[in-house]
Coordinates of all heavy atoms in Angstrom, one line a residue:
E113 N 103.7 115.0 84.1 CA 103.7 114.4 82.8 C 102.3 114.4 82.1 O 102.1 113.9 81.1 CB 104.2 113.0 82.8 CG 105.7 112.9 83.2 CD 106.6 113.7 82.3 OE1 106.4 113.6 81.1 OE2 107.6 114.3 82.8
S114 N 101.3 115.0 82.8 CA 99.9 115.0 82.4 C 99.8 115.6 81.0 O 100.6 116.5 80.6 CB 99.0 115.7 83.3 OG 99.0 115.1 84.6
V115 N 98.8 115.1 80.2 CA 98.5 115.7 79.0 C 97.3 116.6 79.1 O 96.4 116.3 80.0 CB 98.4 114.6 77.9 CG1 99.7 113.9 77.6 CG2 97.3 113.7 78.2
P116 N 97.2 117.6 78.3 CA 96.0 118.5 78.4 C 94.7 117.7 77.8 O 94.7 117.5 76.7 CB 96.3 119.7 77.6 CG 97.4 119.2 76.6 CD 98.1 118.1 77.3
L117 N 93.8 117.4 78.8 CA 92.6 116.7 78.4 C 91.4 117.6 78.5 O 91.3 118.4 79.5 CB 92.4 115.5 79.2 CG 93.4 114.4 79.1 CD1 93.2 113.3 80.2 CD2 93.5 113.8 77.7
Q118 N 90.5 117.5 77.7 CA 89.2 118.2 77.8 C 88.2 117.1 78.0 O 87.7 116.4 77.1 CB 88.8 119.0 76.5 CG 89.7 120.1 76.3 CD 89.6 121.2 77.4 OE1 88.5 121.4 77.9 NE2 90.7 121.9 77.7
M119 N 87.7 116.9 79.3 CA 86.7 115.9 79.6 C 85.4 116.7 79.8 O 85.3 117.5 80.7 CB 87.1 115.1 80.7 CG 88.3 114.2 80.4 SD 88.8 113.1 81.8 CE 87.4 112.0 81.8
H120 N 84.4 116.4 79.1 CA 83.1 117.1 79.2 C 82.2 116.3 80.1 O 81.9 115.1 79.9 CB 82.5 117.3 77.8 CG 83.4 118.1 76.9 ND1 83.6 119.4 77.0 CD2 84.2 117.7 75.9 CE1 84.4 119.8 76.1 NE2 84.8 118.8 75.4
V121 N 81.8 116.9 81.2 CA 80.9 116.3 82.1 C 79.8 117.3 82.4 O 80.0 118.5 82.3 CB 81.6 116.0 83.5 CG1 82.7 114.9 83.2 CG2 82.3 117.2 84.1
S122 N 78.6 116.8 82.8 CA 77.5 117.6 83.0 C 77.5 118.3 84.4 O 77.0 119.4 84.6 CB 76.2 116.8 82.8 OG 76.2 115.7 83.7
D123 N 78.2 117.7 85.3 CA 78.3 118.3 86.7 C 79.8 118.2 87.1 O 80.2 117.2 87.6 CB 77.4 117.5 87.6 CG 77.3 118.1 89.0 OD1 78.2 118.9 89.4 OD2 76.4 117.7 89.7
G124 N 80.5 119.3 87.0 CA 81.9 119.3 87.3 C 82.2 119.0 88.7 O 83.1 118.4 89.1
D125 N 81.3 119.6 89.7 CA 81.5 119.3 91.1 C 81.4 117.9 91.5 O 82.2 117.3 92.2 CB 80.6 120.2 91.9 CG 80.9 121.7 91.8 OD1 82.1 122.0 91.5 OD2 80.0 122.5 92.0
A126 N 80.4 117.2 90.9 CA 80.1 115.8 91.2 C 81.3 115.0 90.6 O 81.8 114.0 91.3 CB 78.8 115.3 90.6
A127 N 81.8 115.3 89.4 CA 82.9 114.6 88.8 C 84.2 114.8 89.7 O 84.9 113.8 90.0 CB 83.2 115.1 87.4
R128 N 84.4 116.0 90.2 CA 85.6 116.2 91.0 C 85.5 115.5 92.4 O 86.5 114.9 92.8 CB 85.7 117.8 91.3 CG 87.0 118.2 91.7 CD 87.2 119.7 91.7 NE 86.1 120.6 91.5 CZ 85.6 121.0 90.2 NH1 86.2 120.6 89.2 NH2 84.6 121.8 90.1
E129 N 84.3 115.4 92.9 CA 84.0 114.6 94.1 C 84.3 113.1 93.9 O 84.9 112.5 94.7 CB 82.6 114.9 94.6 CG 82.3 114.3 95.9 CD 80.9 114.7 96.3 OE1 80.5 115.8 96.3 OE2 80.1 113.7 96.7
L130 N 83.8 112.7 92.8 CA 84.1 111.2 92.5 C 85.6 110.9 92.3 O 86.1 110.0 92.9 CB 83.3 110.9 91.2 CG 83.7 109.5 90.6 CD1 83.4 108.4 91.5 CD2 83.1 109.3 89.2
L131 N 86.3 111.8 91.6 CA 87.7 111.6 91.4 C 88.5 111.7 92.7 O 89.4 110.9 93.0 CB 88.3 112.6 90.4 CG 87.7 112.4 89.0 CD1 88.2 113.6 88.1 CD2 88.1 111.1 88.4
D132 N 88.1 112.6 93.6 CA 88.7 112.7 94.9 C 88.4 111.5 95.8 O 89.2 111.0 96.5 CB 88.2 114.0 95.6 CG 88.8 115.2 95.0 OD1 89.8 115.2 94.2 OD2 88.3 116.3 95.4
D133 N 87.2 111.0 95.6 CA 86.8 109.8 96.4 C 87.6 108.5 95.9 O 88.1 107.7 96.7 CB 85.3 109.5 96.3 CG 84.9 108.6 97.5 OD1 85.3 108.8 98.6 OD2 84.1 107.7 97.2
L134 N 87.8 108.4 94.6 CA 88.6 107.3 94.0 C 90.0 107.4 94.6 O 90.6 106.5 94.9 CB 88.6 107.4 92.5 CG 87.4 106.9 91.8 CD1 87.5 107.2 90.3 CD2 87.2 105.3 92.0
R135 N 90.5 108.6 94.6 CA 91.9 108.9 95.1 C 92.0 108.5 96.6 O 92.9 107.8 97.0 CB 92.2 110.3 94.9 CG 93.7 110.7 95.2 CD 94.0 112.1 94.8 NE 95.3 112.3 94.5 CZ 96.3 112.3 95.3 NH1 96.1 112.0 96.6 NH2 97.6 112.4 95.0
D136 N 91.0 108.8 97.3 CA 91.0 108.5 98.8 C 91.0 107.0 99.0 O 91.7 106.4 99.8 CB 89.8 109.1 99.5 CG 89.9 110.6 99.6 OD1 91.0 111.2 99.4 OD2 88.8 111.2 99.9

Side-chain angles (χ1 to χ4, degrees):
E113 298 297 324
S114 296
V115 295
L117 297 173
Q118 294 293 327
M119 295 182 68
H120 302 285
V121 295
S122 57
D123 186 342
D125 290 336
R128 200 167 10 273
E129 187 177 310
L130 169 63
L131 294 172
D132 288 345
D133 200 44
L134 281 174
R135 189 172 206 291
D136 292 345

